[in-house]
Structures are given as structure tokens and as C-alpha cells.
Amino acid sequence: ICMEKLVQVDGKVRTDIKFPAGFMDVISIPRSGDNFRLLYDVKGRFRLVKVGDDEAKFKLCRVTKQESTTKSIPYIVTHDGRTIRYPDPAARVLDTVRVDIASGKITDVYKFEVGNKAMITKGHNTGRVGVITARDRHLGSFDIVHVRDATGESFATRLENVFVIGKGDSTDITLPKGDGIKKSIMG
């Protein structure tokens, strides 16, 4: 299937069977009309989530670095290695930007702030989804973020594990089965 140039990752044809697809990547098979987004389930495993054609046109990228070149051209680097020149001035490190796959341009910015919906990408709570409720700053150590999921269960994780996926209580992406709610043995 790959050698027949039928598989696209983020809008580019990939023939390498071992091409490293990662979190938030959009995998498309145009001949069959299928589009998938690579997300985590609540057990920390990658899951292919079927998405529509309109949702397959963008991906969310977390800003990991923000600097200027030697000629004072501002740029940002995202979690998937993209370098975007002349970004939206509102985009800061830890924020998430919505990137149009075809053009590579930023169409929206999701700020890393209390009240926005986020997904956990590392650690014991990988794949859980909830609303950011608080951020504790610890100088000389790891900052802690408190998140509350849809069932009202609250948990804490490190700052670098949190990936903002929407403004307020809504998201632009389709979530995996279970909507990021981790069930316990008790119920």
C-alpha cells in the first residue's frame, strides 16, 4: 500500500513503511476516502481516530520554542519539528497552534491558561482529557498543572505533559473512544 503511494501523513505521500508518525499526525488514504488522527487512549497507547475531511485539513501543534533569527525574523518550533516563520504574535511557548496542513500557516492559537481543555501526553495520566484548573509554579523544580476531567475527577501532572486541545470546554478534534475519561475499578 505504501509503495503504491496511497498513504499520506500530514498531506505528504510516504512510501517508507517505518516512517515515524506521531501524536496529532493526520494519516490519509485518499483512494478509500479514509482519514485518521493519531491520538492517545487512556491507557497510553496510540489510537487511530477516524475523522472527517474538514478535520483532516488541520493539525494541532504545541509550541516548544520561540525565538528570532539573526536578521530579527520571529519564528516558532512545534512539538513535531515544524519551524513556522512570522507566527501569530499571540503564540507563546506551551500554547497550541492550529496549523493548516496544505499551507503550513497558523489559523488559530489556543492559549495555555486555566479554563482551556487539554490532553495529557506523558506520564501516568497519558490520554486523559480535562479542563485545566490550576498551575503551581515551583522554582528549581517541575511546575505542576491540575486538571479536572468530565466526571469531576481531578488529577495533577507536570507542565510539560499537558497539550491544550481547545478553547474553554470545547475541542476542534474528535477524541478517542471514551472521550479521555479514565475509569477506575470502583466504577
Side-chain angles (χ1 to χ4, degrees), residues 82 84-86 98-108:
R82 290 173 188 261
I84 301 171
R85 297 173 65 186
Y86 300 108
R98 179 175 166 161
V99 177
D100 181 51
I101 291 176
S103 66
K105 304 285 184 207
I106 296 172
T107 56
D108 203 1

Side-chain angles (χ1 to χ4, degrees), residues 120 122-123 125 143-147 155-159 161-162:
I120 311 303
K122 291 183 200 165
N125 295 308
D143 289 358
I144 302 296
V145 177
H146 297 274
V147 181
F155 57 95
T157 187
R158 288 182 178 177
L159 179 73
N161 299 348
V162 181

Side-chain angles (χ1 to χ4, degrees), residues 35 37 39-40 42 61 70 75 90 92 102 123 130 135 161 175 178:
N35 299 304
R37 188 180 303 278
L39 295 172
Y40 291 111
V42 292
C61 299
T70 54
Y75 71 94
R92 299 276 181 252
R135 177 180 173 180
N161 299 348
L175 294 174

Side-chain angles (χ1 to χ4, degrees), residues 20-26 38-39 46 79:
F23 182 65
M24 283 289 169
D25 282 350
V26 176
L38 205 53
L39 295 172
F46 274 125
H79 80 282

